[in-house]
Amino acid sequence: MASLNVGNLGEYLREQRRNAQLSLRQLADAAGVSNPYLSQIERGLRKPSAEVLQQVAKALRISAETLYVRAGILDAERDRDEVETRAVILADPTLNERQKQVLLQVYESFRKENGFEITPDLAQGLAQNVTQDMGQDEAQGMAEHISGTQQAPDTAVRGPRTADGSDADPQQTAS
């Protein structure tokens, strides 16, 4: 099997694993991946998904973004700014979930207009990295928000809103 061009990801993972004093089997168990698969990644024979990199990074207690860059999923400079922007939006306690969703969709639409898009696989990995305490459904929803695969609600059709963002009672607004 020929070696894939994944930079020096495998060597870096092996070095990090050894620094953590973990065997290949221990890291595979901690990351929830098979021992042979992890071995193939370390030898440069497999290119892991963003989700697998996230699991390995968590097990090694290192930055998932570092692994994304080394795997060629993220451009070190350009994409770091994007990740940070999304993380700040998602972490803002003054915004509700609907507002975060809409803001991310507007941000993504401008990026698409300027020729930059995020892949669904990377979106899933980023969402899991940012939302580690959320459930699987919430993380999947966040990935959809980040990748722009979920459509924004059509507020023009929905009618007026109350101060908290919920739909207003149509009988009270038709005076």
Side-chain angles (χ1 to χ4, degrees), residues 24 40 69 72 74 99 108-109 111 115 122 144 156 163 165 169 173:
L24 191 64
Q40 290 173 344
V69 169
L74 277 181
Q99 291 168 331
E108 186 60 30
S109 71
R111 289 185 47 79
L122 177 57
E144 291 171 357
D169 183 354
T173 57

Side-chain angles (χ1 to χ4, degrees), residues 4-5 27 44 89 93 100 112 121 133:
L4 297 173
N5 184 14
L27 179 56
I89 291 169
K100 291 176 185 179
K112 285 180 184 176
D121 190 39
D133 296 329

Side-chain angles (χ1 to χ4, degrees), residues 11-86:
E11 293 170 18
Y12 180 77
L13 281 177
R14 182 177 291 124
E15 179 182 319
Q16 293 302 310
R17 177 176 58 78
R18 288 178 177 162
N19 288 342
Q21 297 180 339
L22 293 172
S23 70
L24 191 64
R25 186 173 307 281
Q26 289 171 321
L27 179 56
D29 288 343
V33 298
S34 75
N35 188 36
Y37 182 61
L38 186 57
S39 174
Q40 290 173 344
I41 293 170
E42 281 194 0
R43 290 181 289 141
L45 301 176
R46 297 274 183 174
K47 183 175 182 178
S49 68
E51 184 176 347
V52 168
L53 290 175
Q54 165 66 26
Q55 292 169 259
V56 171
K58 188 174 179 180
L60 287 171
R61 297 181 185 202
I62 61 175
S63 164
E65 286 79 10
T66 300
L67 296 183
Y68 296 157
V69 169
R70 290 190 179 260
I73 295 173
L74 277 181
D75 176 333
E77 296 302 317
R78 190 189 82 216
D79 291 335
R80 181 175 294 131
D81 291 340
E82 178 186 355
V83 169
E84 289 172 0
T85 300
R86 291 173 191 284

Side-chain angles (χ1 to χ4, degrees), residues 145-157:
H145 298 322
I146 291 171
S147 67
T149 58
Q150 188 177 47
Q151 297 299 314
D154 189 354
T155 53
V157 174

